[in-house]
Amino acid sequence: MASMTLTEMRYISALDKTRHFGKAAELCHVSQPTLSVAIKKVEQQIGAPLFERGAADIRTTPLGELIVDQIRRVLDETLRLEEIATQSRDPLKGPLRVGVIYTIAPYLLPALIPVLHKIAPDMPLFIREDFTANLLPALKAGELDVIVLALPVDVPGIVSQRIYEEPFRVVVPATHAWASRTSVKNDELSGEQLLLLGSGNCFRDQVLEACPRLQSAEGLYGSLEGSSLETIRHMVASGAGIAVMPSSAADPLIEREPMVKVLPFSGAGPRVGRTVGVAWRTTFPRPKAIDAVRQAILACQITGVNKGQ
């Protein structure tokens, strides 16, 4: 058979990953027919199918699994070659592909972009907002260069560095019985009409971890879900319930949103909050670019966070 090209390898890897032609094509930035024709061509050259095409799903054949395993090794080595080739270039020149989790991006990026532009004016950012569960594999695969997320990170080949600590706040309607209080204990939230982000969002998991009583079905009785922190903030203002939010999202509401009250957590026990940092591949050849991102975040004015070392 003819040699398989790197492009064809990337198409096959993407289809194995997504199990969907449309999503695989989107991941590879090509049209679906282009990807489909290329994979069919490879299968014809091999003389056997790599994928079972069902009406509702795509499955990788046993032969396809063997080939995909080898393809991933080749793509990993190709990525290393590309990274070695860039080592001699100016690390602060050229695009940087940055991933940021949904609950950090809206509150960090408006401050970060102008600060980082002053530090590295020739390093434009290609930004992807997503869940941690999606950003980490993309970073590992070389689709992203650095991600900003809540720590810790435990992925082989990925290193991370803390940037700041961010406490959580309780946000309640201005008419709520707690509105006259100065703080709330984390064990008081169970039984309240709590507004949470949907399953799959790491901030939801952090809230449940910080408030253990909420992890039972009884503790979450009556809870509602919102699609974003901003949506939840509007729901709180309308009187739909209370919410836990990171200080970067909650503290600005003290001045601009009279329909809610922002309360800190109080009492003994573990700190209620998260550690925010950056993560990157150990082989990434532009450590100065990572340093520039970290310096820029430290220089940003982010409400309510603690940047102490």
Side-chain angles (χ1 to χ4, degrees):
M1 60 166 285
S3 298
M4 196 184 306
T5 68
L6 285 173
T7 297
E8 289 167 344
M9 291 183 191
R10 291 187 175 105
Y11 292 170
I12 292 167
S13 177
L15 185 57
D16 176 75
K17 177 181 178 181
T18 62
R19 307 299 171 98
H20 188 281
F21 277 97
K23 292 178 181 177
E26 184 178 343
L27 190 63
C28 295
H29 307 290
V30 296
S31 68
Q32 182 173 328
T34 296
L35 182 136
S36 299
V37 168
I39 292 178
K40 193 67 178 176
K41 174 188 168 187
V42 171
E43 291 177 321
Q44 290 172 346
Q45 291 174 337
I46 292 173
L50 302 180
F51 299 96
E52 296 179 18
R53 297 156 173 83
D57 62 352
I58 303 294
R59 295 176 182 268
T60 308
T61 65
L63 172 64
E65 290 177 356
L66 293 174
I67 289 178
V68 167
D69 285 344
Q70 189 61 39
I71 281 174
R72 293 212 169 114
R73 293 190 188 97
V74 173
L75 293 179
D76 284 345
E77 292 303 318
T78 301
L79 177 60
R80 287 192 176 90
L81 283 174
E82 292 171 350
E83 292 183 337
I84 290 170
T86 64
Q87 286 180 352
S88 61
R89 303 177 192 168
D90 183 342
L92 299 186
K93 282 191 175 181
L96 189 71
R97 299 167 298 176
V98 181
V100 191
I101 62 173
Y102 286 123
T103 57
I104 290 177
Y107 314 104
L108 172 63
L109 292 178
L112 174 63
I113 299 303
V115 174
L116 185 57
H117 186 69
K118 289 181 180 179
I119 295 174
D122 297 320
M123 191 173 71
L125 302 185
F126 293 163
I127 299 170
R128 172 177 165 183
E129 289 185 52
D130 211 326
F131 298 115
T132 299
N134 296 330
L135 292 178
L136 280 172
L139 179 66
K140 179 81 170 176
E143 298 164 16
L144 295 170
D145 301 321
V146 58
I147 57 177
V148 184
L149 75 172
L151 301 181
V153 171
D154 184 17
V155 178
I158 303 295
V159 292
S160 61
Q161 189 171 16
R162 170 198 174 278
I163 300 181
Y164 60 80
E165 302 294 326
E166 181 168 27
F168 294 165
R169 313 294 195 205
V170 180
V171 183
V172 304
T175 56
H176 194 277
W178 293 351
S180 60
R181 295 174 56 170
T182 57
S183 64
V184 176
K185 294 181 180 179
N186 66 342
D187 60 1
E188 293 184 272
L189 271 60
S190 59
E192 287 288 322
Q193 182 84 8
L194 186 65
L195 308 176
L196 291 167
L197 291 172
S199 298
N201 195 301
C202 63
F203 182 73
R204 173 194 175 100
D205 298 334
Q206 291 157 15
V207 170
L208 296 180
E209 182 179 350
C211 306
R213 286 192 182 180
L214 294 176
Q215 297 185 43
S216 67
E218 182 180 348
L220 283 175
Y221 177 76
S223 66
L224 298 173
E225 292 185 356
S227 58
S228 70
L229 290 177
E230 288 302 295
T231 299
I232 285 177
R233 185 253 294 185
H234 291 303
M235 293 169 70
V236 173
S238 77
I242 70 172
V244 176
M245 300 176 68
S247 60
S248 58
D251 287 10
L253 304 179
I254 296 172
E255 297 294 332
R256 74 168 193 249
E257 181 53 86
M259 296 182 70
V260 304
K261 178 72 180 293
V262 177
L263 301 169
F265 280 98
S266 65
R271 173 188 62 90
V272 181
R274 64 183 177 183
T275 300
V276 173
V278 291
W280 66 97
R281 292 184 305 284
T282 54
T283 57
F284 186 60
R286 299 167 62 190
K288 289 185 178 179
I290 306 297
D291 289 342
V293 171
R294 185 172 184 274
Q295 290 170 16
I297 296 175
L298 285 169
C300 289
Q301 296 297 318
I302 310 171
T303 306
V305 307
N306 175 18
K307 299 177 185 175
Q309 299 299 312

